[in-house]
Amino acid sequence: MRKGQYRFVAGFLIVPVALYVVFVIWPYLQTFGYSLTDWKGQSQSFSFVGLDNYTALFKDDIFMGAIWHNILFLIFIPAITILLALFFAFMLNAGGRGRAGGVAGVAGSGFYKVVYFFPQVLSLAILAVLFGAVYRSDGGGMLNGFLIKLGLVDEGSPVEWLNEPNIVLWALIAVVVWHGVGFYLVLFSAAMQSIPRDIYEAALIDGASRSHTFFRITLPLLWDSVQTAWVYLGIAAMDMFILVTTMTSGDYGGGPDHHSEVMATVMMRNFLLYGKSGYACAMGVIMLLLTLIVSVVTLRATRRERIEF
């Protein structure tokens, strides 16, 4: 590259890089700096405490429990969402009966794509209100009302979906999966449509079943899209702040009795309610590090040799 070209490229990059440093890198550095202090959040007067906040974090049972809940979300949300999205995408693009034109999706696949994608147009705040009605802990709740009609639940003792310690996390996982499947179905469908139909037709002529074509053709050729989806869903699982705060009991959510706590809710409670801003900043740093580790490990663990067609 010539000297003049360097100046030309630098001229375009200097402004976005400067904005990135000011609005992204600098807040991270500030957060790390505050995490080494006893800052209360009300003034700029604070004392340096070193790693005391980080030491206290690993003795905080609530925060450690929140990390465990995030890990559970990290395991189940990506796995269930991707499996369902892959199944539906395959059925809508290559799961129909063979026709004269070759391999096709099930009848009405275009309509089904719209139906599956519909939850994605709803914001998480609207979703929380919607599923708050679904999970109501009386006969007026949609889910309890349905179970009462079937005779599976007694009308006098409906299920406390969001107040039962053994159920609340699974109820939240169901909401995230319901919301995300449609988006990743469309993502995988777009990737599947780039796969030549000749490959599927040749496999079917050779006697391959639908399951064989999925595992031997579709999944390997979609692996880059699956890898990307896993990273994004993993990042979402490390957050969960909006749903937990709006759907569960307690200040900033986390109920019942901290059984649905996630790292973000514990951090915000310490920052806004308890005045432990330096301690909350340490939590934020830990969240950042764990999210980066999850992203790197996911990309490394799912890395495969690129398949071209």
Side-chain angles (χ1 to χ4, degrees):
M1 186 180 292
R2 297 177 181 177
K3 187 176 181 180
Q5 291 176 317
Y6 277 114
R7 292 178 180 176
F8 180 78
V9 173
F12 276 97
L13 290 179
I14 188 169
V15 173
V17 169
L19 291 174
Y20 185 80
V21 169
V22 171
F23 292 107
V24 179
I25 301 300
W26 179 241
Y28 283 144
L29 295 176
Q30 278 188 313
T31 301
F32 177 72
Y34 283 130
S35 73
L36 303 176
T37 70
D38 62 354
W39 181 43
K40 305 300 182 184
Q42 302 298 324
S43 67
Q44 291 300 317
S45 60
F46 48 80
S47 302
F48 181 77
V49 296
L51 298 177
D52 289 355
N53 287 329
Y54 293 94
T55 303
L57 278 181
F58 294 101
K59 297 178 182 179
D60 189 336
D61 292 336
I62 295 177
F63 185 71
M64 296 306 294
I67 291 178
W68 172 244
H69 296 157
N70 276 112
I71 291 174
L72 289 178
F73 289 141
L74 183 64
I75 293 171
F76 289 104
I77 288 175
I80 297 173
T81 303
I82 290 175
L83 286 175
L84 289 175
L86 279 173
F87 172 75
F88 290 131
F90 181 75
M91 294 302 295
L92 294 181
N93 288 275
R97 295 183 177 180
R99 300 174 184 174
V103 175
V106 296
S109 58
F111 172 74
Y112 291 136
K113 288 179 184 178
V114 175
V115 172
Y116 286 132
F117 188 78
F118 177 72
Q120 192 64 35
V121 306
L122 301 176
S123 70
L124 288 176
I126 296 175
L127 211 62
V129 174
L130 176 65
F131 274 88
V134 173
Y135 289 141
R136 271 183 56 179
S137 56
D138 55 33
M142 191 185 78
L143 194 53
N144 272 322
F146 181 71
L147 294 176
I148 290 171
K149 291 293 184 182
L150 292 178
L152 300 176
V153 172
D154 184 29
E155 188 173 358
S157 55
V159 180
E160 299 276 348
W161 298 102
L162 298 176
N163 292 310
E164 175 60 45
N166 296 325
I167 298 178
V168 60
L169 291 179
W170 298 105
L172 293 172
I173 289 173
V175 176
V176 179
V177 170
W178 184 84
H179 181 253
V181 164
F183 175 81
Y184 293 100
L185 180 151
V186 173
L187 176 68
F188 296 148
S189 293
M192 285 182 188
Q193 288 172 4
S194 67
I195 300 175
R197 287 291 185 265
D198 296 345
I199 299 177
Y200 287 115
E201 293 168 4
L204 294 175
I205 290 173
D206 289 339
S209 64
R210 294 293 184 185
S211 60
H212 279 93
T213 59
F214 176 78
F215 288 106
R216 299 296 179 89
I217 298 175
T218 305
L219 188 58
L221 294 177
L222 290 185
W223 195 252
D224 287 345
S225 298
V226 172
Q227 184 186 54
T228 302
W230 205 289
V231 171
Y232 278 106
L233 286 167
I235 293 173
M238 294 297 288
D239 182 12
M240 294 292 293
F241 177 74
I242 295 177
L243 284 182
V244 173
T245 53
T246 52
M247 293 186 65
T248 60
S249 58
D251 294 322
Y252 293 97
D257 195 24
H258 304 295
H259 280 88
S260 62
E261 291 280 11
V262 291
M263 290 183 287
T265 58
V266 181
M267 180 187 70
M268 292 303 295
R269 191 179 300 114
N270 278 274
F271 189 87
L272 296 176
L273 292 182
Y274 302 154
K276 299 180 179 179
S277 300
Y279 187 55
C281 287
M283 294 182 184
V285 172
I286 295 298
M287 288 178 60
L288 171 64
L289 292 176
L290 290 177
T291 304
L292 290 175
I293 290 171
V294 166
S295 300
V296 172
V297 170
T298 302
L299 289 173
R300 296 281 295 181
T302 58
R303 185 173 61 182
R304 291 187 178 184
E305 184 178 352
R306 187 177 182 85
I307 301 175
E308 297 183 356
F309 51 86

